[in-house]
Amino acid sequence: MFRITLPDGSVREVAPGTTPADVAAAIGPGLAKAALAARIDGQVRDLNRPFEGDTQLALVTAKDEADALELVRHDLAHVMAEAVQHLFPGTQITFGPATDDGFYYDFAPPKIDGKDRPFTEEDLPAIEAEMRRIIAKNEPFTREVWTREQLIETWTQQGETFKAEWAAELPDNEELTIYRQGQWLDMCRGPHMVSTGKLDPQAFKLTRVSGAYWRGDQKNAMLSRIYGTGWLNKKQLDQHLFMLEEAAKRDHRKIGQEMDLFHLQSEAQGSVFWHPKGFILWRQLEAYMRRRLDAADYAEVKTPQLMDAKQWEQSGHWGKYRENMFVVPDEVPNTADEGAVLSGEGDLMALKPMNCPAHVLIFKQGIKSYRDLPIRMAEFGCCHRNEPHGALHGIMRVRQFTQDDAHIFVREDQLVDEVRKFCELLDSVYQHLGFDSYAIKLALRPEKRFGSEEMWDWAEQSLRDAVAATGRDTAEYGWEELPGEGAFYAPKLEFHLTDAIGRTWQVGTIQTDTVLPERLDASYIGEDGNRHRPIMLHRAILGTFERFIGILIEHHAGRFPLWLSPVQAVVATIVSDADDYANDVAAQLRKAGIRVETDLRNEKINYKVREHSLAKVPVLLVVGKREAEEGKVAIRRLGSQAQTFATVDEVVAMLRDEATPPDLR
Ligand SMILES: [Zn+2]
Ligand SMILES: [Zn+2]
């Protein structure tokens, strides 16, 4: 008999051959129906796969959303592949994993007159209909263990050359399995649900097609990839489709163009050309951050863009990070330099991919005492990282970026309090920038790591204590510990913003580091008169200005709070008689500190209103003959049809508070 321990601690004795499905049925018919899979000693497995010994068992239901979604998406990938092969004979299968919001499958498309016929979006409705037919048939997913020879023979017989190639390379020490539904089968590790009927036929949608190379290598055959999104029920699918639609409307690249904020071009892959309006936004954000850092006792520094390869070698970046660094030859090396070695990599330099080593070099200037700590060193540091062109995305993922970076050098006894202070500062910044919801996560020690277990215990507990001291280690703040997700040298706190349409963005981070101070030999004199290593905290609140501005654009859909808006008001004339008055109004507003423009063009006022609302100008002040005579303006706020009248003084009084950065109100 096997002993099966359930989550409540109760134990059931079962005979060999018993499955988790049997246990679910023995507990009750409700659970038997709700169970989608089983967690066996932590691993998700098929409900019908017999127990192999004494185990811990937890039944997976739709309530275990992450597990349930993974199962559904993987099942859908198989169902889609069956549907495609049924509808398009001659199609070969390759791979089809679950993704963050669904699944895809890569097919070698069928041939027509000897030429590939890749799938198009027009094919998708028919494939969806066929998938629904397969789901309605409620075909069981069955798992079978095969030998490699069996696999190769079957795939070869079926003309599946890609699968046969892959089967020949599968590792020897692994059980080789296939999953079958009806007549269709695929090589697969599983797990799957019990049958296709467990899928909600209304909870998936095929979204797009693209090309993909076999094994991701462009020397190989071009495959045809079909993407789908898959959910537990229709409500979830609808929410997701709505979110995608909203995300497309809010795309920062589109809004950036409509508002004339920035552009990108191929001559400077991954580096942003900030236009005057975009750079006003940048400057507002930077000035705000600088005031916050000044008030929190940070000292701002500026460090070199280029440093010698030897320096990067010492910091460890040359070994680990070199492929992401822009390396620059030092073409006119200063041979007069004492001890200059012009061999090997001595005359190479690199653009900094991060600011950390340079900050340690500043720390090392002069002797530091325990009384000098904490030292909080901030830099709006411009860094370069060489990312593949395909990975770049608008201003969200770039190759040249500016971090709101800072390093805090602390003694052990100061760590918890410094991290707590950082959490408080970050909270206030996010609130000011219009984000009231964010999650805090603690990334714990990874499998491969430096340092002793005591160091990790202590560092992890310190971060936990710091968050607890702010009272934010709660469900409301999405407090969660992520085993294995820390950096190899230390644990870190991550701060994930939730935007207006429910997407999350990891932006803020703080992590402890004892390795870099050691590598670069940074020390301070302790109370005992001896040399000690400081702990270095790497931290950022925004992450990078580029990405954060991208997030701000998408979060606010370009309708920034007034204090961040590049243009806060436009004075637009109805008739040219009012030009002088419009200039006069603009001058008064400018004097009051409002960023204002005039629109005196000889265009219809409705045309002007439309154009400025597309450019997301928050306040439009319309002036005609009557307004000029009465000394008033007609006010229209972005997104509202209402129009009110007021004097310029009243307008200034109305906008002053909103136009002032929140930390100065
Ligand atoms: Zn599979
Ligand atoms: Zn750093």
Side-chain angles (χ1 to χ4, degrees):
M1 297 292 270
F2 297 147
R3 288 171 58 83
I4 308 301
T5 311
L6 295 166
D8 64 3
S10 66
V11 175
R12 283 172 187 251
E13 303 234 321
V14 301
T18 308
T19 66
D22 298 331
V23 173
I27 295 173
L31 187 58
K33 195 156 171 257
L36 304 175
R39 215 167 239 292
I40 304 288
D41 296 333
Q43 271 199 336
V44 181
R45 287 243 189 125
D46 301 343
L47 215 47
N48 285 332
R49 186 162 160 195
F51 296 109
E52 284 155 12
D54 294 352
T55 52
Q56 304 274 343
L57 165 69
L59 291 157
V60 175
T61 69
K63 284 198 189 113
D64 310 296
E65 200 171 275
D67 287 337
L69 283 170
E70 175 98 26
L71 283 160
V72 160
R73 289 164 182 170
H74 189 177
D75 285 7
L76 282 166
H78 280 227
V79 169
M80 175 169 76
E82 180 186 350
V84 167
Q85 287 200 305
H86 181 80
L87 292 176
F88 302 91
T91 303
Q92 287 194 56
I93 50 172
T94 66
F95 288 108
T99 62
D100 282 349
D101 76 340
F103 54 94
Y104 68 77
Y105 209 108
D106 286 346
F107 301 99
K111 292 197 190 299
I112 291 180
D113 300 331
K115 269 206 203 122
D116 277 358
R117 183 236 181 254
F119 299 108
T120 68
E121 297 200 352
E122 278 82 75
D123 298 326
L124 302 184
I127 301 170
E128 284 179 356
E130 178 64 15
M131 288 171 71
R132 294 204 171 90
R133 203 182 60 79
I134 296 166
I135 292 171
K137 279 190 353 201
N138 196 16
E139 287 170 342
F141 287 103
T142 51
R143 175 180 185 273
E144 293 167 27
V145 179
W146 283 21
T147 63
R148 179 193 310 280
E149 290 65 39
Q150 242 177 318
L151 284 170
I152 296 174
E153 199 189 308
T154 303
W155 293 132
T156 310
Q157 262 172 20
Q158 295 187 3
E160 297 279 3
T161 55
F162 295 92
K163 282 285 182 193
E165 177 186 326
W166 193 257
E169 293 172 30
L170 285 171
D172 274 326
N173 51 4
E174 218 176 273
E175 202 171 50
L176 305 179
T177 53
I178 61 121
Y179 276 78
R180 193 194 282 283
Q181 81 249 13
Q183 295 303 305
W184 190 86
L185 61 88
D186 195 354
M187 254 175 335
C188 174
R189 287 198 186 93
H192 283 280
M193 296 197 289
V194 171
S195 67
T196 60
K198 286 276 179 187
L199 294 164
D200 181 339
Q202 302 306 325
F204 73 90
K205 185 172 172 54
L206 302 185
T207 49
R208 63 197 174 95
V209 295
S210 78
Y213 294 104
W214 167 237
R215 298 178 158 199
D217 186 338
Q218 54 185 2
K219 290 195 287 287
N220 289 339
M222 172 68 95
L223 305 172
S224 189
R225 175 177 296 179
I226 303 180
Y227 285 95
T229 181
W231 299 87
L232 299 181
N233 52 55
K234 183 164 189 313
K235 193 169 157 225
Q236 282 185 347
L237 173 69
D238 288 345
Q239 270 171 1
H240 182 70
L241 293 178
F242 176 74
M243 196 277 286
L244 288 184
E245 218 174 281
E246 271 301 301
K249 281 190 218 155
R250 289 162 182 261
D251 190 316
H252 72 279
R253 294 166 298 182
K254 175 173 158 278
I255 292 178
Q257 192 173 23
E258 288 166 358
M259 296 181 73
D260 192 17
L261 301 177
F262 58 81
H263 85 272
L264 291 135
Q265 63 185 66
S266 59
E267 286 74 9
Q269 285 282 358
S271 300
V272 184
F273 293 80
W274 289 97
H275 295 192
K277 284 178 185 149
F279 204 57
I280 290 175
L281 180 56
W282 177 301
R283 281 174 49 191
Q284 287 301 316
L285 191 59
E286 187 181 79
Y288 166 81
M289 287 308 295
R290 184 170 279 129
R291 286 191 304 271
R292 299 305 312 268
L293 294 177
D294 285 349
D297 276 332
Y298 283 74
E300 190 176 340
V301 298
K302 199 80 185 160
T303 60
Q305 281 296 321
L306 278 167
M307 287 206 293
D308 205 284
K310 274 175 280 179
Q311 182 58 52
W312 296 113
E313 229 164 75
Q314 210 182 347
S315 65
H317 292 91
W318 200 248
K320 280 220 170 59
Y321 213 74
R322 185 174 169 174
E323 62 185 34
N324 292 102
M325 290 165 71
F326 287 99
V327 178
V328 184
D330 193 359
E331 282 178 350
V332 193
N334 188 352
T335 44
D337 238 11
E338 234 182 291
V341 184
L342 292 181
S343 61
E345 283 169 342
D347 42 10
L348 288 181
M349 304 192 81
L351 283 167
K352 65 175 168 184
M354 48 190 71
N355 310 297
C356 334
H359 289 188
V360 179
L361 297 184
I362 294 182
F363 178 89
K364 282 176 64 179
Q365 293 290 307
I367 294 167
K368 298 290 181 297
S369 118
Y370 67 96
R371 280 189 237 96
D372 298 323
L373 303 185
I375 291 175
R376 307 183 190 91
M377 207 183 284
E379 179 171 5
F380 297 126
C382 178
C383 299
H384 288 80
R385 289 183 197 170
N386 196 353
E387 307 248 16
H389 293 186
L392 304 174
H393 176 68
I395 64 171
M396 297 278 206
R397 184 113 185 243
V398 287
R399 304 208 293 180
Q400 177 191 306
F401 52 85
T402 301
Q403 299 174 318
D404 67 317
D405 200 9
H407 295 95
I408 311 177
F409 298 88
V410 293
R411 307 188 305 254
E412 281 187 23
D413 62 292
Q414 295 170 322
L415 179 62
V416 172
D417 202 44
E418 270 309 308
V419 176
R420 179 192 61 77
K421 281 184 187 155
F422 170 75
C423 293
E424 301 287 4
L425 176 62
L426 168 137
D427 182 80
S428 151
V429 168
Y430 289 170
Q431 302 248 2
H432 281 165
L433 294 172
F435 296 94
D436 4 288
S437 166
Y438 65 92
I440 311 176
K441 302 184 192 292
L442 172 59
L444 303 170
R445 66 194 81 183
E447 234 168 78
K448 282 197 183 127
R449 56 179 179 264
F450 278 3
S452 66
E453 293 309 286
E454 294 75 56
M455 183 284 277
W456 280 95
D457 289 343
W458 173 77
E460 287 173 356
Q461 193 54 41
S462 299
L463 294 181
R464 238 177 242 129
D465 290 347
V467 178
T470 69
R472 296 194 182 94
D473 55 343
T474 62
E476 192 200 335
Y477 283 92
W479 171 250
E480 195 184 358
E481 302 198 356
L482 308 172
E485 303 259 310
F488 69 93
Y489 53 88
K492 65 175 172 189
L493 291 174
E494 298 174 354
F495 300 84
H496 299 249
L497 291 180
T498 304
D499 74 6
I501 55 172
R503 294 174 299 178
T504 56
W505 307 87
Q506 196 214 315
V507 285
T509 177
I510 184 163
Q511 64 190 85
T512 60
D513 180 4
T514 52
V515 173
L516 198 61
E518 178 83 36
R519 282 193 85 107
L520 299 182
D521 192 27
S523 65
Y524 68 90
I525 308 296
E527 209 170 352
D528 55 6
N530 295 326
R531 270 163 43 100
H532 296 266
R533 294 269 174 239
I535 299 161
M536 188 175 180
L537 295 171
H538 306 254
R539 44 61 82 220
I541 295 175
L542 307 180
T544 74
F545 279 87
E546 287 81 358
R547 181 160 171 272
F548 199 87
I549 290 174
I551 295 168
L552 273 177
I553 293 172
E554 298 200 356
H555 175 60
H556 291 294
R559 294 160 183 239
F560 300 113
L562 199 65
W563 71 277
L564 279 173
S565 293
V567 179
Q568 294 170 320
V570 167
V571 185
T573 51
I574 302 173
V575 287
S576 57
D577 295 10
D579 285 4
D580 289 344
Y581 179 63
N583 282 326
D584 183 44
V585 168
Q588 290 185 58
L589 290 171
R590 215 166 275 133
K591 214 169 144 196
I594 307 285
R595 292 188 289 275
V596 64
E597 288 182 353
T598 54
D599 183 353
L600 311 180
R601 291 175 302 167
N602 186 19
E603 297 284 359
K604 290 245 162 38
I605 189 64
N606 283 341
Y607 173 83
K608 294 185 181 180
V609 170
R610 245 195 330 274
E611 211 179 71
H612 295 301
S613 70
L614 186 67
K616 313 281 192 296
V617 173
V619 180
L620 194 61
L621 304 172
V622 179
V623 296
K625 224 167 147 190
R626 195 181 110 200
E627 285 78 12
E629 279 163 15
E630 293 177 5
K632 291 194 167 176
V633 295
I635 309 161
R636 284 170 180 239
R637 298 296 299 244
L638 181 63
S640 157
Q641 295 297 324
Q643 180 164 286
T644 55
F645 292 87
T647 66
V648 177
D649 284 345
E650 284 165 346
V651 171
V652 169
M654 184 181 88
L655 300 182
R656 181 173 287 139
D657 197 47
E658 274 181 72
T660 304
D663 59 313
L664 299 178
R665 278 176 205 160

